[in-house]
Structure formats: C-alpha cells, structure tokens
Amino acid sequence: MKPGGWFDRRGWSDIIVGVPYAWAIVFILAPICIVTALSFAVPVLNSPPYQFVHTWPFVSIASFQRLFTDSIYIRSFSVSLFNASIATVLCLLIGYPMALGLTRVSKAANRVLLMLIVLPFWTSFLLRVYAWIGLMGNNSWFNRLLTVLYNILVPQAWHLANIQIMYTNFAVIFVVVYSYLPFMILPLYANLEKLDRTLDEAAMDLGSRPYQVFLDVTLPLSMPGIIAGGLLVFIPSAGELVIPSLVGNMSDPMIGAIISQEFGLNHDWPMAAAISVALLFVLVVPLMAYTRYQSRAEAGGAP
C-alpha cells in the first residue's frame, strides 16, 4: 500500500484516537442533549409522556419553575448536597491517613494493603449494601455495640435500649463512606507516592516539626489528589439512588430517588429531565473549578 494511504500508520492512529471521542459523543454528549431537550417539553398522558411546544418560543420552562419553587425539590437537593459533602469530608479524614500510610510501608505490605482496599470491588455493590442493612438492624451486634458505647459516653438519663440507625441520613452517609472510600484513597495514594521524600527531610533538617512538615510540604503538594478524590466521591454520592432507597428515610429523600420517582411512578419526564439537568449543572461546577485549578497549576500559577 502506498505511503499516505488511508490505512497507513497515521490513518490507523487517527482511527484509534477517534474511537474514544465517538464513544463520548454517542453515549455521553447525545444523552445529555436529549435529557436537556426533554426538560423544555411539557408532560402529557400519551406514550411517550411528553410533548414539545409547537408555538414560539418553542420551549416550556414550567418544569424549571416548579424545580425552584416546590419545597420537595429544594429539600431533596439540600439533603443530597449535605449528605454528599459530609461523606466526602469523612472519606478524606479517613482516607488521607490510610493513603499516607501506604507510602510509608514496605513493598510487600503495600501490595497486601492495596489488595484489601480494592477487595470490596470484587463483590456486588448491592450485596455489600444489604450486608450493612443486616449490621445496622436494631437487633444486630453492631447496633448493640454502638448502643453500649453511647450509653457509656452520655449521661445516665439519656440511656437507650437501642439506637435507630436504619432509615436515617446517618445510615446513608455511613454506607456511602464505606462504599466510596476506595475512590478517595487510590487518587491520594497515587499522588502521595510521587512526592519527593527529600523535601520532608530537608524541612526537618531546617528545624520543622513533623506536623509543620505535613502542613507546609506534604499537604499542599497532595492537593491535586485531594481534589481528585473529593470529586470522585462527591459527584456519584450526590446523585446516589441505591443506598438512600435501601437504608435512607424515604420521607426525606435524596435527589436520585426524586428523579427515579418522576421518571417511573409519576411519568413526568420533563420534570425528571429538569432535575437531572440542574443536578448536572451543580456537579459540573466543581469539576470546572478543578480543571481551572489544574490548568493554573500546570501553567505555574499564572492567572
């Protein structure tokens, strides 16, 4: 075949590089465009249960008006963002020491600990959530242990027979932290593993205490890992559906349950699409902020 033909080396490389872009357009960008278009339609009793407006301005913002005026949607957004924020902070507080410890152990211990961190991914996500349902029940040993600790720490007048864990926001946050903790640990570990340990040694040689070395050297240099891990935890947990449906309080639902209800039970696809678009916007903002932060960091801090 002549050089410069379609199937030469450069042509094949263009095809290989273009496959991910084609995948992103077909399975990411196109569905987002479809959902966005649905959010400007109106609900009808036909099948499919929506209809586009045929008169100027050819869009309806009724779903977005309901979204920002109906208390159930505002409340569900607040609960989702609150639970996701608390879960992200807890994952950081738990995952950072674990990731830092992974960089301080021997290679053999490191491999074992990494295997233990990814081990939950070898089992079904749904199965792990059901396991916690059994542990958080009122008659479980885990509940009795927490009850004993609670009764020891609080005054005698406030003693409880058992702690109600199931069907609360505490249960949702607890299971979310357990489920998404590896997504915080692994980016942090990848970032901390690349840090130059001689910087810590130099700071200590100059008289810095260990906590000062951590605050002045390790923590700032690990900020990209913190942001990446935070996004990997916050974004999926804010739209979580399975965990709140199984262990949460359905009278105080998260936004994922509301979207599922609008699509399924209420057959109000435009309203569900409007909620999805609003949630996408809320989650894209921190992602854009991180991209800007990373671009500035790579440019040497230039604005």
Side-chain angles (χ1 to χ4, degrees):
M1 183 173 296
K2 297 188 300 180
W6 176 257
F7 291 105
D8 63 1
R9 182 177 299 177
R10 185 174 179 181
W12 279 112
S13 64
D14 291 341
I15 294 174
I16 294 173
V17 171
V19 169
Y21 289 98
W23 177 277
I25 292 172
V26 174
F27 295 104
I28 298 179
L29 183 60
I32 291 176
C33 293
I34 293 172
V35 171
T36 303
L38 282 176
S39 67
F40 294 103
V42 293
V44 293
L45 297 178
N46 299 332
S47 182
Y50 65 88
Q51 180 178 327
F52 292 103
V53 180
H54 299 296
T55 58
W56 179 260
F58 304 110
V59 294
S60 172
I61 61 172
S63 297
F64 289 99
Q65 290 176 336
R66 284 179 56 196
L67 176 63
F68 293 108
T69 56
D70 197 325
S71 60
I72 187 172
Y73 303 123
I74 298 174
R75 174 64 180 171
S76 61
F77 262 107
S78 302
V79 171
S80 299
L81 296 178
F82 175 79
N83 289 350
S85 300
I86 296 298
T88 303
V89 172
L90 291 176
C91 283
L92 177 61
L93 294 177
I94 299 171
Y96 197 103
M98 296 177 67
L100 189 61
L102 286 171
T103 64
R104 300 294 192 265
V105 298
S106 63
K107 290 185 177 180
N110 179 279
R111 287 193 292 268
V112 173
L113 293 174
L114 281 176
M115 184 190 68
L116 292 176
I117 291 172
V118 302
L119 188 62
F121 292 115
W122 297 357
T123 59
S124 169
F125 173 77
L126 191 61
L127 183 62
R128 285 181 278 138
V129 176
Y130 274 114
W132 277 111
I133 292 176
L135 287 174
M136 292 188 297
N138 291 340
N139 297 321
S140 67
W141 66 267
F142 182 73
N143 189 295
R144 290 197 295 268
L145 176 62
L146 292 182
T147 303
V148 170
L149 294 176
Y150 176 85
N151 290 334
I152 292 174
L153 296 175
V154 301
Q156 186 73 23
W158 296 92
H159 279 199
L160 298 174
N162 57 63
I163 299 176
Q164 178 60 41
I165 303 177
M166 283 293 296
Y167 311 118
T168 62
N169 274 339
F170 172 81
V172 174
I173 295 173
F174 189 89
V175 179
V176 167
V177 169
Y178 163 77
S179 301
Y180 291 104
L181 183 59
F183 293 101
M184 178 66 75
I185 296 174
L186 296 178
L188 279 171
Y189 167 72
N191 180 260
L192 292 169
E193 181 68 16
K194 295 185 296 183
L195 298 186
D196 189 356
R197 298 285 297 274
T198 59
L199 297 175
D200 296 350
E201 298 172 358
M204 296 185 70
D205 290 340
L206 293 173
S208 296
R209 297 181 180 274
Y211 74 90
Q212 292 175 318
V213 174
F214 173 76
L215 293 177
D216 297 337
V217 179
T218 306
L219 186 60
L221 292 177
S222 63
M223 194 57 65
I226 293 175
I227 296 175
L231 291 174
L232 287 175
V233 174
F234 180 82
I235 290 176
S237 59
E240 181 61 49
L241 172 62
V242 175
I243 294 175
S245 299
L246 294 177
V247 304
N249 183 5
M250 295 311 296
S251 62
D252 200 12
M254 290 179 63
I255 198 65
I258 297 295
I259 295 174
S260 176
Q261 179 179 334
E262 293 292 351
F263 265 119
L265 184 63
N266 297 340
H267 295 285
D268 192 344
W269 289 16
M271 190 67 233
I275 300 172
S276 302
V277 171
L279 180 62
L280 178 65
F281 178 79
V282 170
L283 298 181
V284 163
V285 168
L287 186 61
M288 293 176 63
Y290 170 66
T291 303
R292 177 175 174 78
Y293 166 83
Q294 194 175 36
S295 299
R296 294 182 61 182
E298 292 176 353

